[in-house]
Amino acid sequence: MTGSAPTVQATAQPVATLTERTELPLARAINEGLRAAMAADEKVLLMGEDIGPLGGVFRVTDKLQADFGSARVLDTPLAEAGIVGHAIGLAMRGYRPVVEIQFEGFIFPAFNQIVTQLAKITNRHDGKVPMPIVIRVPYGGHIGAVEHHQESPEAYFAHTPGLRVVAPSTPNDAYWMIQQAIQSQDPVLFFEPKAKYWMKGEVDPTAAAAPLHGSRVARAGTDCTIVAFGAMVAAALEAAEVARAEGTSIEVVDLRSVSPVDYGPLLESVRKTGRLVVAQEASGNVSLGSELAAHVAEHAFYSLQAPVLRVSGYDVPFPPARLEGMFLPDADRILEAVDRTMHY
């Protein structure tokens, strides 16, 4: 990147951030996390299509341009490769850009910038050039849209060394993890389950945040483990509640980070229950679910009482909106897998 870095516009008045526990939708929790990060560090800039006065197509950046100015919340042309390329240049100049990709299917024009440049620059310079860039990616289905608007491409990026990939499932995690991602010296792909943008949950700004790349047990159980991340955590918890009524105790592990993966809680859970179902929206072939199943088979083989089962989207292009319910996994498909592993 050449030319002058943008001048940071002074905030007209103090910007309020959360100070006490409150219930927020997930999208608003991300908004508050962005607000807190921008208030704490004037080098944090937001970039994306229609993120200024409109606040983004999902309103995640609502009112941030009004509060922080157009030099820190930049509306960009419809050119994802250019957006990420400029973010790389800004990071080289000491800024912390946060890029919004409107829908996951639009990230591929920037794929070359992300995997061949962004992921490699720090290593290419022997660690002397950090790349503190966050790329926010609304992803996943259940919104009644078409291809390029409902897919789950996280495995492409989890496969690329040099990138960190995370996916919050709760408003509290969304609030904290977006701030932790912005503080990272490495590039972070921040996958947001857009079907859950309006799901409310408690956000606690006073409690210590969990580690960005730590997985957690979302529900304790003894008979079978379900591991999921992002939007599928809610489906896994729904399945666990139904199974409880049928006499099966399910433990749900929320991965939170898909690269790197914190395998400790997952392996501990499998060693306790002896059974594992992996749930993901992405197609199953060569997916993150495949990697999770392989890792557990390698490291907890003698604890398994049944083969690891995967519940995934089918290995076909994403269908028309009317058929999304057939393509996307839900609690019923998870429970069918639980039944199979319990009766193995």
Side-chain angles (χ1 to χ4, degrees):
M1 180 182 178
T2 60
S4 300
T7 302
V8 174
Q9 178 175 309
T11 304
Q13 56 186 5
V15 179
T17 56
L18 294 181
T19 56
E20 58 186 21
R21 291 184 182 184
T22 186
E23 188 171 272
L24 294 176
L26 191 142
R28 176 69 187 284
I30 297 172
N31 177 286
E32 292 293 343
L34 290 170
R35 180 181 298 278
M38 296 184 76
D41 185 351
E42 67 174 9
K43 294 293 186 180
V44 178
L45 308 177
L46 310 187
M47 306 170 62
E49 299 159 1
D50 294 326
I51 68 167
L54 182 65
V57 293
F58 295 105
R59 307 298 187 267
V60 173
T61 57
D62 187 38
K63 298 181 180 178
L64 293 180
Q65 190 183 71
D67 288 342
F68 292 94
S70 59
R72 294 187 65 189
V73 182
L74 291 80
D75 269 332
T76 65
L78 307 183
E80 288 78 8
I83 298 169
V84 175
H86 276 75
I88 292 171
L90 285 164
M92 289 179 169
R93 296 289 301 272
Y95 289 94
R96 293 183 176 274
V98 181
V99 169
E100 176 179 304
I101 302 295
Q102 278 194 341
F103 290 88
E104 73 287 332
F106 303 161
I107 198 171
F108 296 106
F111 193 73
N112 179 52
Q113 288 282 359
I114 295 170
V115 303
T116 69
Q117 301 300 330
L118 178 60
K120 295 175 170 59
I121 287 174
T122 299
N123 186 63
R124 191 180 294 157
H125 291 82
D126 198 24
K128 296 183 177 62
V129 180
M131 280 288 112
I133 296 174
V134 176
I135 300 178
R136 295 182 37 243
V137 189
Y139 85 104
H142 295 293
I143 65 167
V146 296
E147 63 176 8
H148 306 315
H149 293 73
Q150 297 218 83
E151 291 141 331
S152 299
E154 65 277 354
Y156 292 108
F157 305 98
H159 179 71
T160 303
L163 300 176
R164 298 176 184 269
V165 184
V166 300
S169 68
T170 68
N172 194 60
D173 268 353
Y175 173 76
W176 283 113
M177 289 171 71
I178 188 65
Q179 296 180 70
Q180 293 169 316
I182 291 170
Q183 292 170 359
S184 173
Q185 293 293 78
D186 299 324
V188 179
L189 276 290
F190 194 85
F191 280 82
E192 301 170 4
K194 56 179 175 286
K196 303 300 180 187
Y197 270 153
W198 300 274
M199 177 188 73
K200 288 187 175 182
E202 183 179 86
V203 175
D204 187 354
T206 64
L212 177 61
H213 297 293
S215 57
R216 70 183 177 98
V217 175
R219 177 188 175 113
T222 57
D223 298 331
C224 177
T225 300
I226 302 173
V227 62
F229 57 92
M232 286 305 295
V233 173
L237 291 171
E238 180 184 352
E241 186 61 24
V242 174
R244 183 193 64 80
E246 297 173 350
T248 302
S249 174
I250 290 180
E251 184 149 296
V252 176
V253 176
D254 179 359
L255 215 54
R256 299 177 74 248
S257 172
V258 300
S259 183
V261 172
D262 174 17
Y263 281 106
L266 175 58
L267 291 172
E268 183 178 345
S269 178
V270 171
R271 289 176 180 130
K272 177 174 65 175
T273 67
R275 296 176 172 84
L276 176 63
V277 173
V278 182
Q280 60 181 7
E281 289 192 12
S283 298
N285 187 44
V286 197
S287 63
L288 182 69
S290 305
E291 179 63 24
L292 293 171
H295 190 95
V296 170
E298 288 175 358
H299 295 273
F301 179 79
Y302 292 107
S303 298
L304 288 169
Q305 299 179 41
V308 178
L309 297 181
R310 290 173 292 158
V311 180
S312 309
Y314 295 112
D315 295 323
V316 297
F318 200 91
R322 287 185 179 181
L323 300 178
E324 71 168 14
M326 298 178 66
F327 176 89
L328 293 168
D330 58 13
D332 285 343
R333 282 176 58 188
I334 294 173
L335 283 168
E336 190 274 334
V338 169
D339 287 344
R340 279 193 288 143
T341 190
M342 292 300 297
H343 291 92
Y344 181 79

